[in-house]
Amino acid sequence: MSNGEILYQQYKPLLFSIAYRMIGSVTEAEDIVQETYLTFLQLDQQAITDKKAYLCKMAANLCLDTLKSARKKRETYVGPWLPEPLITKAAATPEDKVIEQESLSVSYLFLMEKLSPAERAVFIFREVFAFNYREIASMVDKTEANCRKIFTRAKGKIDRHQTPSHLSYEKNQQVIGDFLHAFKNGDTEKVLSLVSEDVILYSDGGGVVKAALKPIETRDRVLAFLTGIAAKAPKGLQTLPQSINGQPGIIHAIGTKIYNAVSFTVYEQRIKQIFIILNPEKLNHLSCFAPIS
DNA sequence: GTAATGTCCAGCGCAAGTTC
DNA sequence: GAACTTGCGCTGGACATTAC
């Protein structure tokens, strides 16, 4: 294995993590990792002292370019924009698990949309990857002081909008499992006890498939919406529990066709947010997780 | 001592309103 | 309709304060 390939294997997960958190797209993040690597191979690697920082800088710049060109698209996006769902595995340590679950969750990536590209880059490098400001400054071509400012501002925006959540995977899984079971069996009392009164449902059809164009607020409306969807569900639709973006979620599929991916935010044993990703363009990469028959 | 955080201020761009 | 003014938000630099 060449030095370049060793570096690629070593930093691929980090670069993908950065790109995915910045862009919210699995396929685009993979493209950026690939492009970063190919560009890096053409450089004089001996002249680069800190290869990790250099690779991160290259990936960040590609992400910023992508975000700038994507911004216009997202401004005219039909309905709420949600990130492409990412099927995740268990983190190595409990500490990693908490960080990964929080910074990967759909609600967290949804909040990233409130930030400008530069804010997003600085915020992710600092909050998620704990780079110091000197490193961040060199990666985003800004001064250290400015990065501090950008970060505090970004944090202020995130804190204003953040929905509180408890990120115990097992407890959340229990709540969601109970909710799905009660919903399926028409146990209204149980359903009501598991869903917060101020729950919000976001559905992303991207203008390609039918979805709610605005977030649905309040428990009554959300449950009515879900009941409506369930009544129209195609025959043979299977519900598959999956770890989506570090949180327990579900995928709905028939054969190898994925219909949607659903993620939840749970707070104090109740569902606070529901994210339904219906846009087929955001589900293509999940087909390998669908049952064959 | 160093890093992190907060505050103030100036410059810039943009949109909306006003005037000619 | 074009030119100008005004207000607002965003950005970045300088500096003070706080935390470790």
Side-chain angles (χ1 to χ4, degrees):
Chain A
M1 199 183 278
S2 69
N3 281 344
E5 283 167 332
I6 292 168
L7 276 172
Y8 180 62
Q9 292 304 327
Q10 189 179 353
Y11 293 119
K12 188 182 167 187
L14 172 68
L15 298 178
F16 178 82
S17 296
I18 292 168
Y20 177 68
R21 282 171 173 86
M22 280 185 72
I23 295 170
S25 162
V26 175
T27 43
E28 284 185 290
E30 283 170 346
D31 288 346
I32 281 172
V33 172
Q34 193 74 17
E35 197 175 333
T36 302
Y37 174 62
L38 291 174
T39 310
F40 184 77
L41 282 185
Q42 291 168 12
L43 301 172
D44 177 11
Q45 291 165 34
Q46 301 302 320
I48 300 166
T49 49
D50 189 345
K51 294 182 174 59
K52 180 185 171 186
Y54 199 88
L55 283 164
C56 290
K57 180 177 180 169
M58 286 171 67
N61 284 329
L62 286 171
C63 289
L64 289 172
D65 290 344
T66 305
L67 279 171
K68 280 169 193 165
S69 60
R71 211 160 171 79
K72 281 258 179 240
K73 270 189 211 168
R74 290 190 188 173
E75 276 169 9
T76 55
Y77 196 82
V78 180
W81 179 93
L82 295 176
E84 282 184 18
L86 180 70
I87 303 300
T88 48
K89 293 172 190 163
T93 67
E95 199 184 352
D96 287 346
K97 204 173 174 180
V98 171
I99 294 167
E100 191 172 272
Q101 281 177 5
E102 186 177 353
S103 65
L104 258 188
S105 68
V106 173
S107 62
Y108 192 90
L109 296 178
F110 182 59
L111 273 182
M112 288 288 118
E113 280 295 294
K114 308 264 181 217
L115 305 181
S116 69
E119 281 178 331
R120 208 179 298 190
V122 172
F123 188 77
I124 290 168
F125 280 136
R126 181 75 196 143
E127 185 89 347
V128 181
F129 299 102
F131 283 108
N132 65 39
Y133 282 114
R134 194 181 305 157
E135 292 171 312
I136 297 170
S138 73
M139 286 182 214
V140 297
D141 285 321
K142 294 185 191 297
T143 65
E144 281 181 55
N146 193 21
C147 286
R148 290 190 192 101
K149 282 276 300 287
I150 290 170
F151 175 75
T152 51
R153 284 178 180 140
K155 193 162 174 58
K157 285 185 191 175
I158 293 292
D159 289 345
R160 273 200 301 281
H161 295 98
Q162 194 156 34
T163 298
S165 60
H166 287 157
L167 292 161
S168 162
Y169 187 98
E170 291 73 22
K171 284 182 184 170
N172 292 357
Q173 193 171 33
Q174 182 70 44
V175 170
I176 292 160
D178 289 350
F179 166 73
L180 293 172
H181 185 260
F183 186 78
K184 191 178 173 186
N185 293 316
D187 185 347
T188 311
E189 202 174 317
K190 183 74 176 169
V191 166
L192 292 176
S193 73
L194 291 166
V195 179
S196 176
E197 283 178 33
D198 58 353
V199 63
I200 303 181
L201 182 147
Y202 302 90
S203 63
D204 175 356
V208 183
V209 297
K210 210 173 170 184
L213 294 179
K214 289 182 178 176
I216 299 171
E217 298 182 39
T218 76
R219 186 168 59 190
D220 290 347
R221 287 180 185 169
V222 167
L223 292 177
F225 181 77
L226 292 175
T227 306
I229 290 180
K232 290 175 198 164
K235 217 174 177 184
L237 192 73
Q238 286 182 278
T239 301
L240 310 160
Q242 281 287 356
S243 176
I244 299 175
N245 292 63
Q247 282 292 296
I250 49 172
I251 288 175
H252 285 117
I254 299 177
T256 56
K257 182 171 170 58
I258 303 283
Y259 275 81
N260 60 47
V262 189
S263 182
F264 303 85
T265 302
V266 178
Y267 180 62
E268 292 182 336
Q269 309 291 307
R270 285 183 157 199
I271 294 168
K272 285 279 281 186
Q273 290 176 314
I274 302 173
F275 301 94
I276 307 178
I277 299 143
L278 295 139
N279 186 347
E281 290 167 15
K282 294 183 177 181
L283 300 170
N284 284 337
H285 67 287
L286 296 182
S287 56
C288 56
F289 294 97
I292 302 302
S293 59

Short mmCIF file of all heavy atoms in Angstrom, two decimals, chain A residues 127-180:
data_model
loop_
_atom_site.label_atom_id
_atom_site.label_comp_id
_atom_site.label_asym_id
_atom_site.label_seq_id
_atom_site.Cartn_x
_atom_site.Cartn_y
_atom_site.Cartn_z
N GLU A 127 -16.70 22.65 17.58
CA GLU A 127 -17.64 21.94 18.47
C GLU A 127 -17.51 20.42 18.33
O GLU A 127 -17.54 19.71 19.33
CB GLU A 127 -19.07 22.37 18.13
CG GLU A 127 -20.14 21.80 19.06
CD GLU A 127 -20.39 22.68 20.27
OE1 GLU A 127 -19.60 23.61 20.52
OE2 GLU A 127 -21.39 22.44 20.96
N VAL A 128 -17.38 19.96 17.12
CA VAL A 128 -17.40 18.50 16.90
C VAL A 128 -15.99 17.90 16.94
O VAL A 128 -15.77 16.87 17.58
CB VAL A 128 -18.07 18.16 15.55
CG1 VAL A 128 -18.12 16.66 15.34
CG2 VAL A 128 -19.47 18.75 15.50
N PHE A 129 -15.04 18.58 16.27
CA PHE A 129 -13.71 17.99 16.15
C PHE A 129 -12.67 18.62 17.08
O PHE A 129 -11.52 18.19 17.09
CB PHE A 129 -13.23 18.06 14.69
CG PHE A 129 -14.14 17.30 13.77
CD1 PHE A 129 -15.06 17.97 12.98
CD2 PHE A 129 -14.10 15.92 13.71
CE1 PHE A 129 -15.92 17.28 12.15
CE2 PHE A 129 -14.95 15.22 12.88
CZ PHE A 129 -15.87 15.90 12.09
N ALA A 130 -13.10 19.61 17.86
CA ALA A 130 -12.26 20.22 18.91
C ALA A 130 -10.90 20.71 18.39
O ALA A 130 -9.90 20.64 19.11
CB ALA A 130 -12.07 19.23 20.05
N PHE A 131 -10.86 21.23 17.16
CA PHE A 131 -9.64 21.87 16.67
C PHE A 131 -9.47 23.18 17.44
O PHE A 131 -10.46 23.80 17.85
CB PHE A 131 -9.75 22.20 15.17
CG PHE A 131 -9.58 21.01 14.27
CD1 PHE A 131 -10.66 20.46 13.60
CD2 PHE A 131 -8.33 20.42 14.09
CE1 PHE A 131 -10.52 19.36 12.77
CE2 PHE A 131 -8.18 19.32 13.25
CZ PHE A 131 -9.27 18.78 12.59
N ASN A 132 -8.22 23.62 17.65
CA ASN A 132 -8.05 24.95 18.26
C ASN A 132 -8.23 26.03 17.21
O ASN A 132 -8.21 25.76 16.01
CB ASN A 132 -6.72 25.06 19.03
CG ASN A 132 -5.52 24.96 18.12
OD1 ASN A 132 -5.55 25.49 17.01
ND2 ASN A 132 -4.49 24.28 18.56
N TYR A 133 -8.36 27.26 17.68
CA TYR A 133 -8.71 28.33 16.75
C TYR A 133 -7.60 28.61 15.73
O TYR A 133 -7.87 29.07 14.63
CB TYR A 133 -9.06 29.60 17.53
CG TYR A 133 -10.44 29.54 18.12
CD1 TYR A 133 -10.64 29.51 19.47
CD2 TYR A 133 -11.56 29.48 17.29
CE1 TYR A 133 -11.91 29.43 20.02
CE2 TYR A 133 -12.83 29.40 17.81
CZ TYR A 133 -13.01 29.39 19.18
OH TYR A 133 -14.27 29.31 19.70
N ARG A 134 -6.34 28.33 16.13
CA ARG A 134 -5.25 28.55 15.18
C ARG A 134 -5.42 27.60 13.98
O ARG A 134 -5.27 28.00 12.83
CB ARG A 134 -3.91 28.31 15.86
CG ARG A 134 -2.73 28.85 15.07
CD ARG A 134 -1.43 28.56 15.79
NE ARG A 134 -1.46 29.08 17.16
CZ ARG A 134 -0.70 28.62 18.15
NH1 ARG A 134 0.13 27.62 17.93
NH2 ARG A 134 -0.77 29.14 19.34
N GLU A 135 -5.73 26.35 14.29
CA GLU A 135 -5.91 25.36 13.22
C GLU A 135 -7.11 25.73 12.36
O GLU A 135 -7.05 25.67 11.13
CB GLU A 135 -6.12 23.97 13.84
CG GLU A 135 -4.91 23.40 14.54
CD GLU A 135 -5.22 22.13 15.32
OE1 GLU A 135 -6.21 22.12 16.08
OE2 GLU A 135 -4.48 21.16 15.19
N ILE A 136 -8.19 26.11 13.04
CA ILE A 136 -9.41 26.47 12.29
C ILE A 136 -9.15 27.66 11.38
O ILE A 136 -9.55 27.67 10.21
CB ILE A 136 -10.57 26.77 13.26
CG1 ILE A 136 -10.91 25.53 14.07
CG2 ILE A 136 -11.79 27.25 12.49
CD1 ILE A 136 -11.88 25.77 15.21
N ALA A 137 -8.43 28.66 11.93
CA ALA A 137 -8.14 29.87 11.15
C ALA A 137 -7.39 29.53 9.86
O ALA A 137 -7.70 30.07 8.80
CB ALA A 137 -7.33 30.84 12.00
N SER A 138 -6.42 28.63 9.98
CA SER A 138 -5.65 28.27 8.77
C SER A 138 -6.51 27.47 7.80
O SER A 138 -6.31 27.53 6.59
CB SER A 138 -4.39 27.49 9.16
OG SER A 138 -4.74 26.18 9.57
N MET A 139 -7.46 26.71 8.34
CA MET A 139 -8.30 25.89 7.47
C MET A 139 -9.33 26.71 6.68
O MET A 139 -9.67 26.37 5.57
CB MET A 139 -9.03 24.83 8.30
CG MET A 139 -8.15 23.70 8.77
SD MET A 139 -9.16 22.55 9.67
CE MET A 139 -8.06 21.97 10.90
N VAL A 140 -9.83 27.77 7.30
CA VAL A 140 -10.90 28.54 6.64
C VAL A 140 -10.40 29.90 6.13
O VAL A 140 -11.20 30.73 5.69
CB VAL A 140 -12.12 28.73 7.57
CG1 VAL A 140 -12.75 27.41 7.90
CG2 VAL A 140 -11.75 29.47 8.84
N ASP A 141 -9.07 30.09 6.21
CA ASP A 141 -8.46 31.35 5.74
C ASP A 141 -9.03 32.59 6.41
O ASP A 141 -9.41 33.56 5.75
CB ASP A 141 -8.58 31.46 4.21
CG ASP A 141 -7.60 30.55 3.51
OD1 ASP A 141 -6.45 30.44 3.98
OD2 ASP A 141 -7.98 29.95 2.51
N LYS A 142 -9.13 32.54 7.74
CA LYS A 142 -9.59 33.71 8.50
C LYS A 142 -8.67 33.88 9.69
O LYS A 142 -7.88 32.99 10.00
CB LYS A 142 -11.03 33.49 8.97
CG LYS A 142 -12.05 33.44 7.86
CD LYS A 142 -13.45 33.34 8.43
CE LYS A 142 -14.47 33.02 7.35
NZ LYS A 142 -14.59 34.05 6.33
N THR A 143 -8.79 35.02 10.37
CA THR A 143 -7.96 35.22 11.56
C THR A 143 -8.53 34.42 12.73
O THR A 143 -9.72 34.07 12.73
CB THR A 143 -7.92 36.71 11.96
OG1 THR A 143 -9.25 37.10 12.36
CG2 THR A 143 -7.43 37.58 10.83
N GLU A 144 -7.66 34.19 13.72
CA GLU A 144 -8.11 33.44 14.90
C GLU A 144 -9.25 34.17 15.61
O GLU A 144 -10.25 33.56 15.99
CB GLU A 144 -6.95 33.29 15.88
CG GLU A 144 -5.97 32.21 15.52
CD GLU A 144 -4.88 32.12 16.57
OE1 GLU A 144 -5.19 31.97 17.75
OE2 GLU A 144 -3.71 32.21 16.19
N ALA A 145 -9.05 35.47 15.78
CA ALA A 145 -10.06 36.26 16.50
C ALA A 145 -11.41 36.19 15.78
O ALA A 145 -12.45 36.05 16.43
CB ALA A 145 -9.61 37.70 16.62
N ASN A 146 -11.31 36.27 14.50
CA ASN A 146 -12.55 36.22 13.73
C ASN A 146 -13.22 34.86 13.87
O ASN A 146 -14.45 34.78 13.96
CB ASN A 146 -12.24 36.54 12.27
CG ASN A 146 -13.50 36.82 11.50
OD1 ASN A 146 -14.53 37.15 12.08
ND2 ASN A 146 -13.43 36.68 10.21
N CYS A 147 -12.42 33.83 13.87
CA CYS A 147 -12.99 32.48 14.05
C CYS A 147 -13.70 32.37 15.41
O CYS A 147 -14.75 31.75 15.52
CB CYS A 147 -11.91 31.41 13.94
SG CYS A 147 -11.36 31.17 12.24
N ARG A 148 -13.10 32.98 16.41
CA ARG A 148 -13.74 32.97 17.74
C ARG A 148 -15.09 33.66 17.68
O ARG A 148 -16.08 33.17 18.22
CB ARG A 148 -12.85 33.70 18.75
CG ARG A 148 -11.60 32.98 19.09
CD ARG A 148 -10.89 33.63 20.27
NE ARG A 148 -9.56 33.09 20.39
CZ ARG A 148 -8.44 33.69 19.99
NH1 ARG A 148 -8.51 34.88 19.43
NH2 ARG A 148 -7.28 33.11 20.12
N LYS A 149 -15.08 34.79 17.00
CA LYS A 149 -16.32 35.54 16.88
C LYS A 149 -17.37 34.74 16.11
O LYS A 149 -18.53 34.66 16.48
CB LYS A 149 -16.07 36.87 16.16
CG LYS A 149 -15.45 37.92 16.98
CD LYS A 149 -16.48 38.69 17.79
CE LYS A 149 -17.48 39.34 16.89
NZ LYS A 149 -16.93 40.50 16.19
N ILE A 150 -16.92 34.19 15.01
CA ILE A 150 -17.84 33.41 14.16
C ILE A 150 -18.41 32.25 14.96
O ILE A 150 -19.61 31.98 14.91
CB ILE A 150 -17.10 32.90 12.90
CG1 ILE A 150 -16.79 34.08 11.97
CG2 ILE A 150 -17.93 31.86 12.17
CD1 ILE A 150 -15.86 33.74 10.83
N PHE A 151 -17.55 31.61 15.72
CA PHE A 151 -18.01 30.47 16.50
C PHE A 151 -19.05 30.88 17.55
O PHE A 151 -20.09 30.24 17.69
CB PHE A 151 -16.83 29.76 17.18
CG PHE A 151 -17.27 28.65 18.08
CD1 PHE A 151 -17.70 27.44 17.53
CD2 PHE A 151 -17.30 28.80 19.45
CE1 PHE A 151 -18.14 26.42 18.34
CE2 PHE A 151 -17.74 27.78 20.28
CZ PHE A 151 -18.16 26.58 19.72
N THR A 152 -18.74 31.95 18.29
CA THR A 152 -19.67 32.34 19.35
C THR A 152 -21.02 32.77 18.76
O THR A 152 -22.07 32.49 19.31
CB THR A 152 -19.10 33.48 20.22
OG1 THR A 152 -18.66 34.53 19.38
CG2 THR A 152 -17.96 33.00 21.07
N ARG A 153 -20.93 33.41 17.63
CA ARG A 153 -22.19 33.81 16.97
C ARG A 153 -22.97 32.58 16.50
O ARG A 153 -24.19 32.50 16.66
CB ARG A 153 -21.89 34.73 15.81
CG ARG A 153 -21.54 36.11 16.27
CD ARG A 153 -21.21 36.99 15.10
NE ARG A 153 -20.87 38.32 15.56
CZ ARG A 153 -19.91 39.05 15.06
NH1 ARG A 153 -19.18 38.59 14.08
NH2 ARG A 153 -19.68 40.26 15.52
N ALA A 154 -22.23 31.67 15.91
CA ALA A 154 -22.88 30.45 15.41
C ALA A 154 -23.52 29.69 16.58
O ALA A 154 -24.66 29.22 16.49
CB ALA A 154 -21.87 29.56 14.69
N LYS A 155 -22.78 29.62 17.67
CA LYS A 155 -23.28 28.91 18.84
C LYS A 155 -24.56 29.58 19.38
O LYS A 155 -25.50 28.92 19.80
CB LYS A 155 -22.21 28.86 19.92
CG LYS A 155 -22.53 27.90 21.04
CD LYS A 155 -21.29 27.54 21.83
CE LYS A 155 -21.62 26.69 23.04
NZ LYS A 155 -22.30 25.44 22.68
N GLY A 156 -24.54 30.91 19.33
CA GLY A 156 -25.72 31.65 19.77
C GLY A 156 -26.94 31.30 18.94
O GLY A 156 -28.03 31.08 19.47
N LYS A 157 -26.73 31.22 17.64
CA LYS A 157 -27.85 30.88 16.74
C LYS A 157 -28.35 29.48 17.03
O LYS A 157 -29.57 29.24 17.09
CB LYS A 157 -27.39 30.94 15.28
CG LYS A 157 -27.22 32.34 14.74
CD LYS A 157 -26.88 32.25 13.25
CE LYS A 157 -26.45 33.60 12.72
NZ LYS A 157 -26.01 33.51 11.32
N ILE A 158 -27.41 28.54 17.18
CA ILE A 158 -27.79 27.15 17.43
C ILE A 158 -28.54 27.03 18.75
O ILE A 158 -29.59 26.38 18.83
CB ILE A 158 -26.53 26.24 17.44
CG1 ILE A 158 -25.90 26.18 16.05
CG2 ILE A 158 -26.85 24.85 17.94
CD1 ILE A 158 -26.71 25.46 15.00
N ASP A 159 -28.01 27.69 19.78
CA ASP A 159 -28.63 27.60 21.10
C ASP A 159 -30.05 28.16 21.11
O ASP A 159 -30.92 27.67 21.83
CB ASP A 159 -27.77 28.32 22.15
CG ASP A 159 -26.49 27.57 22.43
OD1 ASP A 159 -26.40 26.39 22.04
OD2 ASP A 159 -25.57 28.16 23.02
N ARG A 160 -30.25 29.19 20.32
CA ARG A 160 -31.59 29.81 20.26
C ARG A 160 -32.62 28.85 19.68
O ARG A 160 -33.79 28.86 20.06
CB ARG A 160 -31.56 31.08 19.41
CG ARG A 160 -31.19 32.32 20.17
CD ARG A 160 -31.65 33.56 19.43
NE ARG A 160 -31.12 33.71 18.11
CZ ARG A 160 -29.90 34.16 17.83
NH1 ARG A 160 -29.08 34.48 18.81
NH2 ARG A 160 -29.49 34.28 16.59
N HIS A 161 -32.17 28.03 18.73
CA HIS A 161 -33.11 27.17 18.01
C HIS A 161 -33.12 25.72 18.47
O HIS A 161 -33.97 24.95 18.07
CB HIS A 161 -32.80 27.19 16.50
CG HIS A 161 -33.02 28.55 15.88
ND1 HIS A 161 -31.99 29.43 15.67
CD2 HIS A 161 -34.14 29.17 15.46
CE1 HIS A 161 -32.47 30.54 15.13
NE2 HIS A 161 -33.77 30.40 14.99
N GLN A 162 -32.13 25.37 19.28
CA GLN A 162 -31.96 23.95 19.61
C GLN A 162 -33.13 23.41 20.43
O GLN A 162 -33.56 24.02 21.40
CB GLN A 162 -30.66 23.73 20.38
CG GLN A 162 -30.29 22.26 20.44
CD GLN A 162 -28.79 22.09 20.65
OE1 GLN A 162 -28.15 22.89 21.32
NE2 GLN A 162 -28.22 21.06 20.06
N THR A 163 -33.60 22.24 20.00
CA THR A 163 -34.62 21.53 20.75
C THR A 163 -33.92 20.62 21.75
O THR A 163 -33.06 19.84 21.37
CB THR A 163 -35.48 20.67 19.80
OG1 THR A 163 -36.12 21.54 18.88
CG2 THR A 163 -36.52 19.87 20.56
N PRO A 164 -34.23 20.75 23.04
CA PRO A 164 -33.56 19.91 24.01
C PRO A 164 -33.83 18.43 23.75
O PRO A 164 -34.92 18.07 23.31
CB PRO A 164 -34.16 20.34 25.36
CG PRO A 164 -35.44 21.01 25.01
CD PRO A 164 -35.27 21.58 23.64
N SER A 165 -32.81 17.62 23.96
CA SER A 165 -33.01 16.19 23.73
C SER A 165 -32.16 15.40 24.72
O SER A 165 -31.14 15.89 25.20
CB SER A 165 -32.64 15.82 22.30
OG SER A 165 -31.28 16.13 22.07
N HIS A 166 -32.59 14.23 25.02
CA HIS A 166 -31.79 13.33 25.83
C HIS A 166 -31.30 12.25 24.88
O HIS A 166 -32.08 11.63 24.18
CB HIS A 166 -32.63 12.72 26.95
CG HIS A 166 -32.93 13.70 28.04
ND1 HIS A 166 -34.00 13.58 28.88
CD2 HIS A 166 -32.30 14.85 28.39
CE1 HIS A 166 -34.00 14.59 29.73
NE2 HIS A 166 -32.99 15.37 29.45
N LEU A 167 -30.00 12.05 24.88
CA LEU A 167 -29.45 11.23 23.81
C LEU A 167 -29.07 9.81 24.23
O LEU A 167 -28.16 9.22 23.69
CB LEU A 167 -28.25 11.96 23.19
CG LEU A 167 -28.68 13.22 22.45
CD1 LEU A 167 -27.53 14.16 22.25
CD2 LEU A 167 -29.31 12.86 21.12
N SER A 168 -29.78 9.25 25.20
CA SER A 168 -29.55 7.85 25.51
C SER A 168 -30.22 7.00 24.44
O SER A 168 -31.45 6.96 24.32
CB SER A 168 -30.15 7.51 26.88
OG SER A 168 -30.29 6.12 27.00
N TYR A 169 -29.38 6.36 23.64
CA TYR A 169 -29.88 5.61 22.48
C TYR A 169 -30.92 4.56 22.92
O TYR A 169 -32.00 4.46 22.34
CB TYR A 169 -28.70 4.93 21.77
CG TYR A 169 -29.08 4.27 20.47
CD1 TYR A 169 -28.87 4.92 19.27
CD2 TYR A 169 -29.68 3.02 20.45
CE1 TYR A 169 -29.22 4.33 18.07
CE2 TYR A 169 -30.03 2.42 19.25
CZ TYR A 169 -29.80 3.08 18.07
OH TYR A 169 -30.16 2.50 16.89
N GLU A 170 -30.58 3.83 23.95
CA GLU A 170 -31.45 2.72 24.38
C GLU A 170 -32.81 3.23 24.85
O GLU A 170 -33.85 2.68 24.50
CB GLU A 170 -30.76 1.91 25.50
CG GLU A 170 -29.55 1.11 25.05
CD GLU A 170 -28.32 1.98 24.77
OE1 GLU A 170 -28.25 3.11 25.29
OE2 GLU A 170 -27.43 1.52 24.02
N LYS A 171 -32.78 4.31 25.66
CA LYS A 171 -34.06 4.87 26.16
C LYS A 171 -34.90 5.41 25.01
O LYS A 171 -36.12 5.21 24.96
CB LYS A 171 -33.79 5.97 27.18
CG LYS A 171 -33.36 5.44 28.54
CD LYS A 171 -33.15 6.60 29.51
CE LYS A 171 -32.62 6.06 30.83
NZ LYS A 171 -32.18 7.13 31.73
N ASN A 172 -34.25 6.11 24.11
CA ASN A 172 -34.97 6.66 22.96
C ASN A 172 -35.57 5.54 22.10
O ASN A 172 -36.70 5.65 21.61
CB ASN A 172 -34.04 7.52 22.10
CG ASN A 172 -33.63 8.79 22.82
OD1 ASN A 172 -34.07 9.05 23.93
ND2 ASN A 172 -32.78 9.58 22.20
N GLN A 173 -34.78 4.48 21.96
CA GLN A 173 -35.23 3.33 21.17
C GLN A 173 -36.49 2.73 21.80
O GLN A 173 -37.44 2.37 21.09
CB GLN A 173 -34.12 2.28 21.13
CG GLN A 173 -34.34 1.21 20.10
CD GLN A 173 -33.10 0.33 19.97
OE1 GLN A 173 -32.40 0.11 20.95
NE2 GLN A 173 -32.84 -0.15 18.79
N GLN A 174 -36.50 2.68 23.11
CA GLN A 174 -37.66 2.15 23.84
C GLN A 174 -38.89 3.02 23.60
O GLN A 174 -39.97 2.53 23.28
CB GLN A 174 -37.32 2.11 25.34
CG GLN A 174 -38.42 1.55 26.23
CD GLN A 174 -38.59 0.04 26.03
OE1 GLN A 174 -37.61 -0.68 25.96
NE2 GLN A 174 -39.82 -0.40 25.87
N VAL A 175 -38.70 4.34 23.70
CA VAL A 175 -39.82 5.28 23.51
C VAL A 175 -40.37 5.15 22.09
O VAL A 175 -41.59 5.06 21.88
CB VAL A 175 -39.35 6.74 23.77
CG1 VAL A 175 -40.43 7.73 23.34
CG2 VAL A 175 -39.01 6.92 25.23
N ILE A 176 -39.48 5.13 21.12
CA ILE A 176 -39.90 5.07 19.72
C ILE A 176 -40.57 3.72 19.42
O ILE A 176 -41.61 3.67 18.74
CB ILE A 176 -38.69 5.32 18.78
CG1 ILE A 176 -38.25 6.78 18.94
CG2 ILE A 176 -39.03 5.04 17.34
CD1 ILE A 176 -36.83 7.04 18.47
N GLY A 177 -40.00 2.66 19.95
CA GLY A 177 -40.59 1.33 19.76
C GLY A 177 -41.99 1.26 20.35
O GLY A 177 -42.93 0.75 19.71
N ASP A 178 -42.13 1.80 21.56
CA ASP A 178 -43.45 1.82 22.21
C ASP A 178 -44.45 2.64 21.41
O ASP A 178 -45.62 2.27 21.25
CB ASP A 178 -43.33 2.40 23.63
CG ASP A 178 -42.62 1.45 24.58
OD1 ASP A 178 -42.39 0.28 24.20
OD2 ASP A 178 -42.27 1.88 25.69
N PHE A 179 -43.96 3.78 20.90
CA PHE A 179 -44.83 4.66 20.11
C PHE A 179 -45.32 3.95 18.85
O PHE A 179 -46.52 3.95 18.53
CB PHE A 179 -44.08 5.94 19.74
CG PHE A 179 -44.76 6.74 18.67
CD1 PHE A 179 -45.91 7.47 18.94
CD2 PHE A 179 -44.26 6.76 17.37
CE1 PHE A 179 -46.55 8.19 17.94
CE2 PHE A 179 -44.88 7.48 16.37
CZ PHE A 179 -46.03 8.20 16.65
N LEU A 180 -44.39 3.30 18.13
CA LEU A 180 -44.75 2.63 16.88
C LEU A 180 -45.74 1.49 17.14
O LEU A 180 -46.71 1.30 16.40
CB LEU A 180 -43.49 2.10 16.18
CG LEU A 180 -42.53 3.17 15.64
CD1 LEU A 180 -41.24 2.53 15.16
CD2 LEU A 180 -43.18 3.98 14.53
#
